[in-house]
Amino acid sequence: MYLSEKLSGVLPLVEKPARYIGGEWNAVSKDWQKTAVKVVFAFPDVYEVGMSHLGMQILYHVVNQRPDALMERVFAPWPDMERQMRQNRIPLFSLESKRPLQDFDIIAFTLQYEMSFTNIINMLDLAGLSPRADRRPARPLVIAGGPCAYNPEPLADFIDAFVIGEGEEVLGEIIDLWREMCPPGKQVDKKDLLRRLAVLPGVYVPALYRVEESPDGVRYVVPADGAVPARVVKRVLRDMDAAPYPLAPVVPYLAAVHDRMMLEVQRGCTRSCRFCQAGVIYRPVREKSPQLLAEQARALFKSTGYDEVSLTSLSTADYSRIQPLVEELLGFLGPCGVNVSLPSLRVDAFSVDLARQVQKVRRSTLTFAPEAGTQRLRDVINKGVTEQDLLSAVDAAFAAGWQAVKLYFMLGLPTETTADLDGIYDLARAVLEQGKKHRVPKSRLKVTVSVSCFVPKAHTPFQWEPQDSLDVLKQKQAYLREKCREKQIALNCHDPYLSMLEAMLARGDRWLGQLLYRAWQKGARFDGWSEWFKPEIWQAAMQELDIEPAQYAGRRYDYQHVLPWDHIDAGVSKKYLIAEHKRALAGKLTPDCRGGRCAGCGLCPALEIRPGILGGEQLVPLPADIF
């Protein structure tokens, strides 16, 4: 029985069959027989999440522009669909051609979140492939990229090659290499293929590296093959205006998590928040020209019909031409009923004019991320935001008609005290009072306080810091719940056990591959989803393997340690990260390099690149006493 016939039998039995049928507006279906290289983009989460991922749309566009290659899509099947697939022996298939993943040359996973790692193992198994890379043939090659690739070791047993950094260019180089070494019908020597991949800039092949261990038990990675680099340097696009961008993205049938046009205004961030991995791995900041963005917005509206465009980046309010860009977009999109939305805004960069412009078409909840409750702790994390900044911004927002505000905080940041927890409540209370001052109706006035647990990430100044123990995180959450009792303050706390696992994997070593595999064997799937997350599975797996969470999540590393991810080079020097860590503990701020003062992270000289900021600022050296 053909796959399509089997599918027609099972789709009526699952929730949201549209997740698996493909054929969406702007989807690309190429001639399979006439296309040399077949790639499938694998998103290890459900369709609605994956279709909100701009990176997938970009790479889908990049590959399908080539006449010699195609890219199709596959998402993690929801548990009800997985059950049907296993019962009916339906292999994991792509949406476009409905072909099993085994038919493709390259399976390309994106690694957006550590708690999707078991889904990767599950998808490989559903595809009829061994999850273990050393037990698979050369075809299909399994590669992975994205932010979690900056500490690839927990997944090293399952992935043939990792792409470090931005994928627009290096993916093309991998396809070129595949065409050269692996034409149809040719028997491929996997070792030869991996050696050639490993010398491509930005490609890490774990099979060609071995693990060593320090006397105090820190496992790190060194080359096992003399031909591979000791450190793999990330790839960076130099000119965002010249970068390929999808002007006819796939429009899903189902409402995606972010169901709107996405207009990437810049890449990178100059703020240097010390907890933020994205702020390091996407450096330097590179802005797009407003003329190009306006052209892209017109094309996106014409090709998709969406009624909202989101100006995406790590810190959109910092885009130096944000004011005229919003004015121009509203000028031609507003009369068409199209809303312009801005993601989480920095409170110090927010302007009343910008808020009023955006709300001309439709109002929505405003989101701010003060991250910490007191000025002392905000200085520790280098947030560079004051309470007055926040209150001025929400004052303007309530005056302009907004009725609800969301505030994001982190719990368990380094040096945190009870006074910092009190500060979270005090700040929420002060925002609430601003709303009352503006006579926002009681039934509509709402301050949502979302509190996540601090997760130390690789390549950040806090990579040496331990995470609070599970008991301490629970105590802190209970303390906040006791304080936030007002009806108009809604407190949402993340699952601390989930955050602990995230911290283990974010700073883990190759040994944790066993834990992932064992947890998957016991049924771990969709661990980032509360309805499917089963802590007891992970507890049992850790007990069997004699793994202590504190060994990873709660470990304080020394500066002298060679860390499990030190063979990955994000461009920022370790000397800078150490200096930033020391400045954090001293409560000292480091200036934003957007203003022209170089903080000395070392990225620009190392990668021979400069920030691309349209405002015209010139970088100058910092005073000698900055560190």
Side-chain angles (χ1 to χ4, degrees):
M1 187 182 291
Y2 290 110
L3 183 60
S4 57
E5 293 177 42
K6 287 187 175 181
L7 280 177
S8 64
V10 303
L11 288 180
L13 306 176
V14 302
E15 181 187 353
K16 299 184 181 179
R19 288 169 172 163
Y20 313 104
I21 60 176
E24 307 97 319
W25 186 253
N26 292 331
V28 178
S29 291
K30 285 190 167 182
D31 188 319
W32 185 270
Q33 299 301 332
K34 294 181 180 177
T35 308
V37 183
K38 289 90 172 177
V39 185
V40 61
F41 187 98
F43 197 96
D45 209 320
V46 74
Y47 176 89
E48 296 94 309
V49 176
M51 286 303 296
S52 304
H53 181 230
L54 178 58
M56 182 205 72
Q57 299 275 12
I58 290 175
L59 295 179
Y60 189 78
H61 167 72
V62 167
V63 176
N64 283 322
Q65 271 195 319
R66 294 177 60 129
D68 62 346
L70 62 80
M71 176 175 272
E72 301 190 355
R73 295 162 296 144
V74 64
F75 302 89
W78 199 243
D80 63 341
M81 183 61 173
E82 180 192 343
R83 188 165 51 250
Q84 292 296 331
M85 291 171 71
R86 291 192 185 278
Q87 286 175 359
N88 292 279
R89 298 187 177 184
I90 298 174
L92 192 61
F93 57 91
S94 67
L95 295 190
E96 281 78 1
S97 66
K98 306 294 184 296
R99 287 180 179 271
L101 262 60
Q102 286 197 29
D103 289 358
F104 286 82
D105 298 310
I106 301 172
I107 301 173
F109 281 98
T110 182
L111 309 177
Q112 297 297 310
Y113 179 38
E114 288 84 355
M115 299 317 297
S116 68
F117 285 179
T118 54
N119 278 5
I120 293 171
I121 299 173
N122 197 42
M123 290 172 75
L124 290 170
D125 183 69
L126 277 170
L129 298 166
S130 170
R132 291 192 61 91
D134 59 359
R135 297 177 188 170
R136 288 195 303 265
R139 194 191 309 264
L141 179 74
V142 178
I143 64 175
C148 295
Y150 279 85
N151 179 20
E153 291 312 304
L155 284 173
D157 291 342
F158 313 109
I159 304 295
D160 295 315
F162 292 89
V163 169
I164 310 300
E166 294 162 350
E168 286 97 330
E169 294 173 341
V170 67
L171 183 55
E173 293 164 20
I174 292 172
I175 291 173
D176 290 341
L177 181 63
W178 183 271
R179 283 208 68 180
E180 175 193 335
M181 295 191 66
C182 313
K186 182 183 176 183
Q187 198 72 18
V188 182
D189 185 313
K190 189 170 183 180
K191 288 183 179 177
D192 287 346
L193 175 64
L194 293 181
R195 287 194 184 102
R196 290 285 301 276
L197 280 167
V199 296
L200 288 179
V203 176
Y204 168 57
V205 178
L208 303 181
Y209 294 76
R210 69 173 185 272
V211 176
E212 296 196 348
E213 188 169 335
S214 69
D216 53 353
V218 179
R219 300 185 184 94
Y220 57 96
V221 174
V222 297
D225 185 312
V228 301
R231 303 191 76 207
V232 179
V233 181
K234 75 174 182 181
R235 295 290 293 264
V236 181
L237 287 178
R238 296 180 181 277
D239 184 354
M240 288 303 295
D241 274 1
Y245 198 75
L247 301 180
V250 182
V251 181
Y253 293 130
L254 289 174
V257 174
H258 300 299
D259 199 18
R260 55 205 178 209
M261 295 176 270
M262 289 179 281
L263 193 62
E264 186 183 28
V265 300
Q266 63 182 6
R267 203 169 287 182
C269 177
T270 56
R271 294 286 181 169
S272 303
C273 297
R274 291 170 177 138
F275 59 85
C276 182
Q277 186 190 50
V280 173
I281 64 179
Y282 292 110
R283 290 185 187 193
V285 70
R286 288 147 290 160
E287 296 183 342
K288 284 184 176 178
S289 69
Q291 296 82 5
L292 177 66
L293 290 170
E295 291 170 11
Q296 292 182 341
R298 284 189 173 89
L300 285 167
F301 175 56
K302 188 176 179 182
S303 69
T304 65
Y306 275 119
D307 62 359
E308 181 175 341
V309 58
S310 175
L311 308 185
T312 66
S313 77
L314 292 174
S315 183
T316 297
D318 284 336
Y319 174 64
S320 62
R321 306 288 177 87
I322 186 65
Q323 192 79 27
L325 175 66
V326 167
E327 289 173 4
E328 182 167 3
L329 295 182
L330 287 174
F332 64 86
L333 292 177
C336 301
V338 178
N339 185 35
V340 176
S341 67
L342 305 165
S344 177
L345 296 170
R346 284 192 62 94
V347 293
D348 57 345
F350 189 78
S351 74
V352 175
D353 284 344
L354 188 60
R356 286 176 177 161
Q357 286 177 40
V358 172
Q359 74 141 19
K360 276 181 180 175
V361 177
R362 190 187 308 148
R363 292 173 186 168
S364 60
T365 300
L366 275 184
T367 301
F368 299 105
E371 312 289 2
T374 63
Q375 194 58 49
R376 184 200 67 81
L377 195 52
R378 285 193 291 274
D379 289 346
V380 168
I381 63 176
N382 204 44
K383 191 65 184 175
V385 170
T386 67
E387 179 173 339
Q388 190 54 51
D389 292 331
L390 175 65
L391 296 182
S392 297
V394 297
D395 180 69
F398 285 131
W402 273 279
Q403 298 171 335
V405 171
K406 287 183 182 176
L407 303 175
Y408 283 124
F409 295 94
M410 272 187 287
L411 208 62
L413 285 163
T415 78
E416 184 179 71
T417 66
T418 303
D420 300 308
L421 304 184
D422 292 337
I424 292 175
Y425 168 72
D426 293 342
L427 213 48
R429 195 75 185 77
V431 171
L432 192 62
E433 289 302 317
Q434 289 287 335
K436 290 178 179 177
K437 187 184 81 176
H438 287 280
R439 301 182 182 279
V440 177
K442 279 187 178 179
S443 59
R444 295 184 177 179
L445 177 59
K446 187 175 182 181
V447 179
T448 300
V449 178
S450 181
V451 181
S452 63
C453 301
F454 166 65
V455 174
K457 294 278 188 174
H459 305 283
T460 70
F462 289 160
Q463 65 180 353
W464 294 279
E465 287 284 340
Q467 187 184 52
D468 275 349
S469 70
L470 199 55
D471 287 343
V472 170
L473 288 173
K474 288 178 179 177
Q475 289 166 12
K476 290 181 175 179
Q477 289 185 347
Y479 183 83
L480 273 182
R481 286 195 185 94
E482 188 62 29
K483 295 205 68 129
C484 297
R485 285 178 168 271
E486 278 96 332
K487 190 176 179 182
Q488 290 158 309
I489 297 178
L491 176 66
N492 299 324
C493 292
H494 289 203
D495 184 331
Y497 193 85
L498 191 70
S499 297
M500 182 196 73
L501 285 176
E502 183 184 346
M504 290 178 67
L505 295 171
R507 297 199 308 165
D509 55 32
R510 201 173 289 195
W511 184 254
L512 288 190
Q514 296 184 67
L515 175 62
L516 287 168
Y517 192 76
R518 189 64 62 88
W520 166 74
Q521 285 180 312
K522 290 178 175 295
R525 312 275 194 281
F526 287 100
D527 297 295
W529 293 75
S530 58
E531 62 264 52
W532 296 110
F533 178 54
K534 298 173 182 173
E536 64 275 13
I537 285 179
W538 289 89
Q539 289 163 358
M542 281 190 266
Q543 192 169 9
E544 287 180 19
L545 297 169
D546 195 24
I547 292 175
E548 283 293 327
Q551 181 184 350
Y552 290 96
R555 178 158 198 162
R556 182 183 294 282
Y557 288 113
D558 295 332
Y559 295 144
Q560 293 75 25
H561 280 134
V562 181
L563 301 173
W565 51 89
D566 271 355
H567 55 297
I568 304 298
D569 188 345
V572 172
S573 74
K574 202 165 185 177
K575 179 183 175 184
Y576 166 79
L577 294 178
I578 291 172
E580 276 296 286
H581 185 233
K582 290 179 177 176
R583 289 176 68 81
L585 299 181
K588 293 182 178 178
L589 292 170
T590 294
D592 180 346
C593 74
R594 181 177 287 267
R597 299 182 66 193
C598 175
C601 76
L603 181 135
C604 292
L607 301 186
E608 297 181 343
I609 191 171
R610 289 177 65 87
I613 300 172
L614 300 173
E617 294 88 344
Q618 295 297 312
L619 296 181
V620 296
L622 285 177
D625 61 353
I626 186 71
F627 293 126

PDB file of all heavy atoms in Angstrom, residues 33 85 176 182 195 197 281 320 373 382 386 398 412 419 458 595:
ATOM      1  N   GLN A  33      12.805  13.603  -9.701  1.00  0.00           N
ATOM      2  CA  GLN A  33      13.744  12.884 -10.564  1.00  0.00           C
ATOM      3  C   GLN A  33      14.764  13.810 -11.211  1.00  0.00           C
ATOM      4  O   GLN A  33      15.897  13.413 -11.482  1.00  0.00           O
ATOM      5  CB  GLN A  33      12.975  12.131 -11.661  1.00  0.00           C
ATOM      6  CG  GLN A  33      12.013  11.082 -11.123  1.00  0.00           C
ATOM      7  CD  GLN A  33      12.708  10.007 -10.285  1.00  0.00           C
ATOM      8  OE1 GLN A  33      13.884   9.711 -10.497  1.00  0.00           O
ATOM      9  NE2 GLN A  33      11.990   9.428  -9.326  1.00  0.00           N
ATOM     10  N   MET A  85       1.336   6.139  13.228  1.00  0.00           N
ATOM     11  CA  MET A  85       2.420   5.810  12.297  1.00  0.00           C
ATOM     12  C   MET A  85       3.089   4.494  12.683  1.00  0.00           C
ATOM     13  O   MET A  85       3.383   3.664  11.829  1.00  0.00           O
ATOM     14  CB  MET A  85       3.450   6.955  12.274  1.00  0.00           C
ATOM     15  CG  MET A  85       2.912   8.228  11.622  1.00  0.00           C
ATOM     16  SD  MET A  85       4.022   9.642  11.824  1.00  0.00           S
ATOM     17  CE  MET A  85       5.359   9.158  10.724  1.00  0.00           C
ATOM     18  N   ASP A 176      27.056  21.540  -2.355  1.00  0.00           N
ATOM     19  CA  ASP A 176      28.068  21.424  -3.419  1.00  0.00           C
ATOM     20  C   ASP A 176      28.969  20.217  -3.179  1.00  0.00           C
ATOM     21  O   ASP A 176      29.302  19.474  -4.114  1.00  0.00           O
ATOM     22  CB  ASP A 176      28.916  22.703  -3.475  1.00  0.00           C
ATOM     23  CG  ASP A 176      28.131  23.897  -3.997  1.00  0.00           C
ATOM     24  OD1 ASP A 176      27.084  23.690  -4.632  1.00  0.00           O
ATOM     25  OD2 ASP A 176      28.571  25.039  -3.734  1.00  0.00           O
ATOM     26  N   CYS A 182      28.919  12.553  -3.818  1.00  0.00           N
ATOM     27  CA  CYS A 182      27.856  11.551  -3.655  1.00  0.00           C
ATOM     28  C   CYS A 182      26.829  11.629  -4.774  1.00  0.00           C
ATOM     29  O   CYS A 182      25.626  11.804  -4.509  1.00  0.00           O
ATOM     30  CB  CYS A 182      27.164  11.744  -2.312  1.00  0.00           C
ATOM     31  SG  CYS A 182      28.270  11.950  -0.912  1.00  0.00           S
ATOM     32  N   ARG A 195      35.415  13.654   6.559  1.00  0.00           N
ATOM     33  CA  ARG A 195      36.694  14.403   6.576  1.00  0.00           C
ATOM     34  C   ARG A 195      36.604  15.645   5.700  1.00  0.00           C
ATOM     35  O   ARG A 195      37.134  16.699   6.056  1.00  0.00           O
ATOM     36  CB  ARG A 195      37.830  13.484   6.110  1.00  0.00           C
ATOM     37  CG  ARG A 195      38.220  12.423   7.134  1.00  0.00           C
ATOM     38  CD  ARG A 195      39.555  11.778   6.774  1.00  0.00           C
ATOM     39  NE  ARG A 195      39.871  10.695   7.697  1.00  0.00           N
ATOM     40  CZ  ARG A 195      39.723   9.412   7.423  1.00  0.00           C
ATOM     41  NH1 ARG A 195      39.288   9.047   6.225  1.00  0.00           N
ATOM     42  NH2 ARG A 195      40.015   8.478   8.317  1.00  0.00           N
ATOM     43  N   LEU A 197      33.838  17.256   4.980  1.00  0.00           N
ATOM     44  CA  LEU A 197      32.927  18.203   5.654  1.00  0.00           C
ATOM     45  C   LEU A 197      33.650  18.962   6.764  1.00  0.00           C
ATOM     46  O   LEU A 197      33.441  20.159   6.967  1.00  0.00           O
ATOM     47  CB  LEU A 197      31.741  17.440   6.262  1.00  0.00           C
ATOM     48  CG  LEU A 197      30.612  17.035   5.318  1.00  0.00           C
ATOM     49  CD1 LEU A 197      29.689  16.026   6.000  1.00  0.00           C
ATOM     50  CD2 LEU A 197      29.822  18.256   4.863  1.00  0.00           C
ATOM     51  N   ILE A 281      26.104  34.840  20.254  1.00  0.00           N
ATOM     52  CA  ILE A 281      26.299  34.004  19.060  1.00  0.00           C
ATOM     53  C   ILE A 281      25.835  34.685  17.780  1.00  0.00           C
ATOM     54  O   ILE A 281      26.237  34.268  16.693  1.00  0.00           O
ATOM     55  CB  ILE A 281      25.618  32.630  19.224  1.00  0.00           C
ATOM     56  CG1 ILE A 281      24.094  32.768  19.336  1.00  0.00           C
ATOM     57  CG2 ILE A 281      26.181  31.890  20.430  1.00  0.00           C
ATOM     58  CD1 ILE A 281      23.370  31.430  19.465  1.00  0.00           C
ATOM     59  N   SER A 320      18.369  51.389  14.238  1.00  0.00           N
ATOM     60  CA  SER A 320      18.601  52.831  14.252  1.00  0.00           C
ATOM     61  C   SER A 320      17.622  53.616  13.387  1.00  0.00           C
ATOM     62  O   SER A 320      17.490  54.820  13.544  1.00  0.00           O
ATOM     63  CB  SER A 320      20.046  53.136  13.828  1.00  0.00           C
ATOM     64  OG  SER A 320      20.276  52.695  12.507  1.00  0.00           O
ATOM     65  N   GLY A 373      14.424  42.323  39.464  1.00  0.00           N
ATOM     66  CA  GLY A 373      13.545  43.203  40.214  1.00  0.00           C
ATOM     67  C   GLY A 373      14.217  44.431  40.805  1.00  0.00           C
ATOM     68  O   GLY A 373      13.543  45.395  41.156  1.00  0.00           O
ATOM     69  N   ASN A 382      23.893  43.411  33.483  1.00  0.00           N
ATOM     70  CA  ASN A 382      24.172  44.419  32.452  1.00  0.00           C
ATOM     71  C   ASN A 382      22.935  44.746  31.613  1.00  0.00           C
ATOM     72  O   ASN A 382      23.026  44.931  30.404  1.00  0.00           O
ATOM     73  CB  ASN A 382      25.304  43.954  31.519  1.00  0.00           C
ATOM     74  CG  ASN A 382      25.994  45.132  30.853  1.00  0.00           C
ATOM     75  OD1 ASN A 382      26.289  46.134  31.497  1.00  0.00           O
ATOM     76  ND2 ASN A 382      26.256  45.022  29.549  1.00  0.00           N
ATOM     77  N   THR A 386      16.547  51.151  34.037  1.00  0.00           N
ATOM     78  CA  THR A 386      16.180  51.575  35.389  1.00  0.00           C
ATOM     79  C   THR A 386      14.681  51.414  35.607  1.00  0.00           C
ATOM     80  O   THR A 386      13.915  51.271  34.655  1.00  0.00           O
ATOM     81  CB  THR A 386      16.547  53.051  35.618  1.00  0.00           C
ATOM     82  OG1 THR A 386      15.717  53.862  34.768  1.00  0.00           O
ATOM     83  CG2 THR A 386      18.017  53.305  35.302  1.00  0.00           C
ATOM     84  N   PHE A 398      -0.091  53.216  28.961  1.00  0.00           N
ATOM     85  CA  PHE A 398      -1.448  53.308  29.505  1.00  0.00           C
ATOM     86  C   PHE A 398      -2.138  54.587  29.018  1.00  0.00           C
ATOM     87  O   PHE A 398      -3.332  54.600  28.723  1.00  0.00           O
ATOM     88  CB  PHE A 398      -1.415  53.277  31.034  1.00  0.00           C
ATOM     89  CG  PHE A 398      -1.146  51.903  31.608  1.00  0.00           C
ATOM     90  CD1 PHE A 398      -0.177  51.711  32.581  1.00  0.00           C
ATOM     91  CD2 PHE A 398      -1.883  50.806  31.180  1.00  0.00           C
ATOM     92  CE1 PHE A 398       0.059  50.461  33.122  1.00  0.00           C
ATOM     93  CE2 PHE A 398      -1.652  49.539  31.707  1.00  0.00           C
ATOM     94  CZ  PHE A 398      -0.681  49.364  32.677  1.00  0.00           C
ATOM     95  N   GLY A 412      16.766  33.269  40.145  1.00  0.00           N
ATOM     96  CA  GLY A 412      17.992  32.507  40.343  1.00  0.00           C
ATOM     97  C   GLY A 412      19.207  33.083  39.656  1.00  0.00           C
ATOM     98  O   GLY A 412      20.214  32.380  39.482  1.00  0.00           O
ATOM     99  N   ALA A 419      15.847  40.408  48.610  1.00  0.00           N
ATOM    100  CA  ALA A 419      15.475  41.771  48.210  1.00  0.00           C
ATOM    101  C   ALA A 419      15.200  41.845  46.701  1.00  0.00           C
ATOM    102  O   ALA A 419      14.338  42.615  46.261  1.00  0.00           O
ATOM    103  CB  ALA A 419      16.598  42.742  48.589  1.00  0.00           C
ATOM    104  N   ALA A 458      26.269  28.262  27.547  1.00  0.00           N
ATOM    105  CA  ALA A 458      27.625  28.273  27.004  1.00  0.00           C
ATOM    106  C   ALA A 458      27.885  29.574  26.247  1.00  0.00           C
ATOM    107  O   ALA A 458      26.982  30.172  25.673  1.00  0.00           O
ATOM    108  CB  ALA A 458      27.801  27.082  26.058  1.00  0.00           C
ATOM    109  N   GLY A 595      26.840  52.656  20.669  1.00  0.00           N
ATOM    110  CA  GLY A 595      27.135  54.072  20.849  1.00  0.00           C
ATOM    111  C   GLY A 595      28.547  54.449  20.441  1.00  0.00           C
ATOM    112  O   GLY A 595      28.956  55.599  20.590  1.00  0.00           O
TER     113      GLY A 595
END
